[in-house]
Amino acid sequence: MKVAVLGSNGQLGSDVCAAFEQNGDEVIGLTHSDLELASDASVDAVLSARTPEFIVNAAAMHHVEKCEADPAAAFLSNGIGAKNVAEWAKKAGAKVAYISTDYVFDGIKGKPYVEGDVARPLNAYGITKLAGENFTAAIAPNYFVLRVSAIYGHHPCRAKGGLNFVELMLKLAKERDELRVVDDEFVTPTPTVQIAAQVVALSRSSNYGLYHGTAEGSCSWYEFAREIFESTHTKVRLEKARPGEFPAKIPRPKYSVLENNGLKANDLNVFTDWRDGLQQYLNTRNRVLATTV
């Protein structure tokens, strides 16, 4: 299959490219320097010249604070960009996968969200990603929307200074005697390699629609940090942050755990428990570190 990956140099896009290459597919990696998502002419010209059969739209403006400061730019990237890609996919008869987020929910449900739950985003990032979902679903007949959560991978995330949560915790543990992490925000940490494997599985399916795609189980950020330190035998005093100690600049859902109902119903789910995903990430990390020492 000929596959175009938009945002191919990103934290997730890099692993998506690798997963399709390992699957024997022809991969066309596209970055912002290759096409302008907000321009329908640019999207049409670039994709028409390459004629992919499957498009993974992993490109996004996802820095939450920057989205809030400039919602128009976020809408152009996350919403209009998705519209332009979906229109080309419809014209060409191609499949398209739009990568979305748990931030489309408000976090008040208190138990895992399923695909049928009403989306009520709290911030501009979530609103514009929901717009991208709706554009994709309304325009492209052969579409997948995959909502992910708390992702981390080996490739740098530019929007977060190049450090995912795992690397940030390990870095801070070397610099400080004590760390304080919030224990009242719940997510499902999900490694990008598993999301990439899930996208490959979807590319071979005709069960189109909206899916939740995260690791199994859930934890608070404090519990995630504790698991990181225990798994790496890192010695640091870890404490729960006091309520309100780290006030959010932008409203975010306190509980955004997703349940992969759709994937399981269609026998497509590839995800394992979040602890297994973390161990897989750390094992790969250790191998890379060993070869660079």
Side-chain angles (χ1 to χ4, degrees):
M1 182 179 287
K2 187 188 288 188
V3 181
V5 180
L6 312 186
S8 60
N9 60 342
Q11 181 175 219
L12 175 58
S14 298
D15 280 337
V16 171
C17 287
F20 276 106
E21 288 169 353
Q22 290 165 9
N23 197 56
D25 296 304
E26 179 184 347
V27 177
I28 305 161
L30 298 170
T31 70
H32 184 68
S33 63
D34 298 308
L35 85 168
E36 175 51 62
L37 276 179
S39 165
D40 57 351
S42 176
V43 170
D44 184 72
V46 172
L47 293 181
S48 293
R50 292 161 174 81
T51 63
E53 301 161 77
F54 188 78
I55 308 162
V56 183
N57 187 359
M61 182 174 174
H62 54 79
H63 190 288
V64 176
E65 285 78 15
K66 289 182 179 178
C67 288
E68 203 70 22
D70 194 350
F75 183 70
L76 282 173
S77 178
N78 300 336
I80 298 302
K83 169 183 172 291
N84 293 335
V85 172
E87 286 177 340
W88 188 90
K90 179 181 180 181
K91 179 182 73 171
K95 296 181 179 182
V96 60
Y98 178 75
I99 307 301
S100 191
T101 174
D102 55 335
Y103 273 36
V104 299
F105 294 112
D106 59 14
I108 66 173
K109 183 181 178 183
K111 58 182 180 180
Y113 285 94
V114 296
E115 290 86 349
D117 286 327
V118 176
R120 292 190 181 92
L122 298 176
N123 52 48
Y125 169 63
I127 291 168
T128 58
K129 290 298 288 183
L130 181 59
E133 290 187 10
N134 290 333
F135 276 128
T136 302
I139 296 169
N142 304 331
Y143 80 93
F144 301 99
V145 168
L146 187 67
R147 291 172 178 159
V148 301
S149 169
I151 73 172
Y152 61 98
H154 294 286
H155 299 275
C157 177
R158 290 170 296 165
K160 297 179 180 177
L163 294 178
N164 61 44
F165 186 79
V166 180
E167 300 302 332
L168 177 61
M169 289 297 102
L170 293 174
K171 177 179 181 291
L172 293 177
K174 292 180 180 179
E175 300 170 351
R176 306 178 186 178
D177 296 326
E178 177 182 298
L179 293 178
R180 304 177 68 84
V181 180
V182 295
D183 193 42
D184 60 351
E185 295 179 15
F186 295 87
V187 295
T188 299
T190 305
T192 51
V193 291
Q194 291 196 5
I195 299 171
Q198 186 64 72
V199 173
V200 172
L202 286 173
S203 74
R204 268 54 188 182
S205 172
S206 58
N207 292 311
Y208 304 114
L210 168 65
Y211 291 95
H212 289 175
T214 68
E216 298 295 326
S218 64
C219 61
S220 69
W221 289 109
Y222 168 82
E223 290 168 334
F224 187 24
R226 183 179 63 194
E227 190 71 21
I228 292 167
F229 296 142
E230 290 179 355
S231 297
T232 56
H233 308 290
T234 299
K235 302 299 182 184
V236 65
R237 188 163 65 254
L238 178 66
E239 300 289 345
K240 297 178 183 178
R242 296 182 298 274
E245 184 174 349
F246 301 118
K249 299 177 183 177
I250 307 299
R252 301 168 187 253
K254 289 281 191 180
Y255 184 98
S256 57
V257 179
L258 306 181
E259 171 58 39
N260 302 348
N261 269 6
L263 293 175
K264 292 172 182 176
N266 289 290
D267 198 27
L268 290 168
N269 188 52
V270 306
F271 292 97
T272 62
D273 184 84
W274 69 267
R275 296 174 187 83
D276 295 333
L278 173 61
Q279 194 59 57
Q280 178 187 21
Y281 173 88
L282 293 173
N283 290 342
T284 302
R285 181 181 188 269
N286 291 338
R287 288 196 297 270
V288 172
L289 290 175
T291 61
T292 57
V293 174

